Amino acid sequence: MRRLPLFVLPTVLFPGAHMPLHIFEPRYRQMAARCLETDKLFGLLYRNAAAAGEYSFDEGGTGCIAQIDQFQPLPDGRSLVVVIGLERFTVVDGIESESLYHEALVEDLEDDGERLYEMAARRRASVNLFAAVLERLRGAPRAPAVDTSRDVSFQLAAAMEVNTPWQQALLEMRTERKRLEAIDAILRESLTDTPDSSE
């Protein structure tokens, strides 16, 4: 277990993904200053934007550890940062402290055992499906490079525009195979709904 400051947002950070953040609330300014003085790490935890009231640090809440990669202070005390997602975590218990920001005891969230050497073909199949969707889109951007030697599901999910509750559900899944199945379902639906650009 480790103790982490928490940044609660209506967004989901995936392992390996980069995310720009605008730090302007006093509590998160304090949190960013503390992170820069120590290990540059905090936990990004999803909160549904439609949820009412203060966030409750229920045991089992899942998020992603963020590492500050770039930091740009602004004259008025705000800052612009870029973070990269590291490993996932689950909240074990909230911590009462004098800090303005929230803190919690967390533990790493690891996948259930999979035979990773059997995932190579499965990963390639999802990457090929993703490329096929991009080819069908008019003016589609060039397909991002995907490293099939590591978890492909988070790489693909970070490149897709899907609603945040779906992203959070994907983050919580405990096997890459299940995540790829969920991603493939979205991609196949896109292929069905998207007209062929050659028509």
Side-chain angles (χ1 to χ4, degrees), residues 9 20 22 68-69 97 122 125 128 143 155 181 190:
L9 287 173
H22 176 203
I68 297 176
D69 185 49
S97 73
R122 181 67 189 81
N128 291 338
Q155 296 177 70
E181 289 172 357
S190 298

Side-chain angles (χ1 to χ4, degrees), residues 14-196:
F14 291 115
H18 287 82
M19 178 181 290
L21 295 172
H22 176 203
I23 310 294
F24 59 91
E25 289 187 47
R27 58 178 169 174
Y28 294 134
R29 293 186 193 184
Q30 185 187 77
M31 184 199 74
R34 177 267 185 191
C35 292
L36 290 169
E37 291 172 355
T38 55
D39 54 13
K40 298 185 179 181
L41 301 179
F42 61 89
L44 198 151
L45 198 62
Y46 168 70
R47 178 192 179 201
N48 190 327
E54 184 62 28
Y55 183 82
S56 174
F57 295 100
D58 295 329
E59 180 180 350
T62 300
C64 183
I65 295 177
Q67 182 178 51
I68 297 176
D69 185 49
Q70 299 176 41
F71 179 81
Q72 179 184 349
L74 300 175
D76 60 1
R78 295 176 298 123
S79 58
L80 303 176
V81 304
V82 176
V83 301
I84 183 170
L86 303 182
E87 63 267 22
R88 296 173 295 165
F89 67 85
T90 56
V91 174
V92 176
D93 194 14
I95 294 175
E96 294 289 339
S97 73
E98 297 180 356
S99 302
L100 295 176
Y101 53 86
H102 300 296
E103 294 183 281
L105 288 176
V106 305
E107 60 184 4
D108 291 346
L109 175 65
E110 299 179 352
D111 276 349
D112 295 333
E114 282 185 315
R115 296 177 178 177
L116 297 182
Y117 65 87
E118 296 180 349
M119 292 301 295
R122 181 67 189 81
R123 289 170 175 172
R124 286 195 297 271
S126 291
V127 170
N128 291 338
L129 183 58
F130 181 70
V133 171
L134 290 183
E135 288 177 4
R136 289 285 296 273
L137 295 173
R138 297 180 187 274
R142 185 175 180 178
V146 177
D147 180 2
T148 55
S149 67
R150 62 185 182 88
D151 193 310
V152 161
S153 62
F154 293 132
Q155 296 177 70
L156 294 181
M160 297 167 60
E161 294 185 6
V162 189
N163 65 67
T164 46
W166 182 90
Q167 293 177 333
Q168 179 64 21
L170 192 83
L171 188 73
E172 295 174 4
M173 291 181 183
R174 299 294 296 271
T175 70
E176 185 183 12
R177 189 174 300 276
K178 288 182 180 179
R179 292 191 294 271
L180 290 175
E181 289 172 357
I183 288 170
D184 287 358
I186 296 289
L187 294 175
R188 291 193 186 99
E189 184 178 346
S190 298
L191 277 176
T192 303
D193 295 342
T194 305
D196 194 326

